[in-house]
Amino acid sequence: MEAMKAKDAVRLSALRNAKKYIIEAKTAVHGIDELPDEEVLKILGKLAKQGTDSAAIFAEQNRQDLADEELAQVAVFKEFLPAQLSDEELTAEIGKIIARTGATSMKEMGKVMGIASKSLAGRAEGRAISAKVKELLS
């Protein structure tokens, strides 16, 4: 409502897009009235990642106007997402997971990735988690 009253077209478009995906996710699973917060955060994270990727493609194709629009929508999505972990925080969290699982080699990367992906969901990208796990297990 605030975005409509302020005539903020970018914010309104981003929020409507997010609402559409949330409603689709709710209707995909019959018998639920509300999605868990984790699912909503996953949807918002996916939208933010898609927008960032689209903006990069638009920038490559010299369409800065479209890239700016995508990045503005990504900024709206990021307002609702938890803060991303810094490199040092990510290293510390993955170090704890490795210590807890007792992993010592790259053969056990799958075990560490399974736990890390679930516990760090929404706070770090999958690529960053994977790269850090590889670095720490090597």
Side-chain angles (χ1 to χ4, degrees):
M1 291 299 286
E2 291 174 18
M4 285 173 39
K5 289 178 183 177
K7 297 187 183 190
D8 187 349
V10 173
R11 185 173 182 81
L12 184 61
S13 174
L15 292 173
R16 283 181 175 163
N17 194 21
K19 182 180 177 183
K20 177 187 88 145
Y21 280 99
I22 291 168
I23 289 172
E24 285 177 359
K26 278 179 24 179
T27 57
V29 180
H30 298 290
I32 64 167
D33 293 328
E34 280 192 32
L35 280 179
D37 289 343
E38 299 84 40
E39 290 296 318
V40 174
L41 290 176
K42 194 182 293 186
I43 290 169
L44 292 175
K46 182 178 177 183
L47 290 172
K49 184 179 181 328
Q50 285 176 346
T52 304
D53 293 345
S54 296
I57 292 170
F58 289 139
E60 281 179 19
Q61 298 174 349
N62 295 322
R63 293 298 310 264
Q64 196 57 42
D65 56 328
L66 296 175
D68 292 340
E69 187 176 321
E70 286 290 332
L71 291 175
Q73 288 191 10
V74 167
V76 172
F77 297 138
K78 286 188 176 183
E79 289 177 29
F80 299 99
L81 292 171
Q84 296 291 303
L85 294 175
S86 69
D87 192 47
E88 296 82 26
E89 293 170 329
L90 183 60
T91 302
E93 291 289 327
I94 292 177
K96 290 176 190 174
I97 293 168
I98 290 173
R100 193 173 41 200
T101 60
T104 57
S105 69
M106 287 297 290
K107 291 179 183 178
E108 298 166 303
M109 182 177 171
K111 180 169 48 170
V112 175
M113 280 299 297
I115 296 170
S117 295
K118 288 178 184 168
S119 67
L120 301 175
R123 298 188 305 157
E125 284 190 14
R127 279 181 271 171
I129 295 170
S130 177
K132 191 58 70 176
V133 169
K134 284 179 186 174
E135 177 187 320
L136 293 175
L137 287 177
S138 297

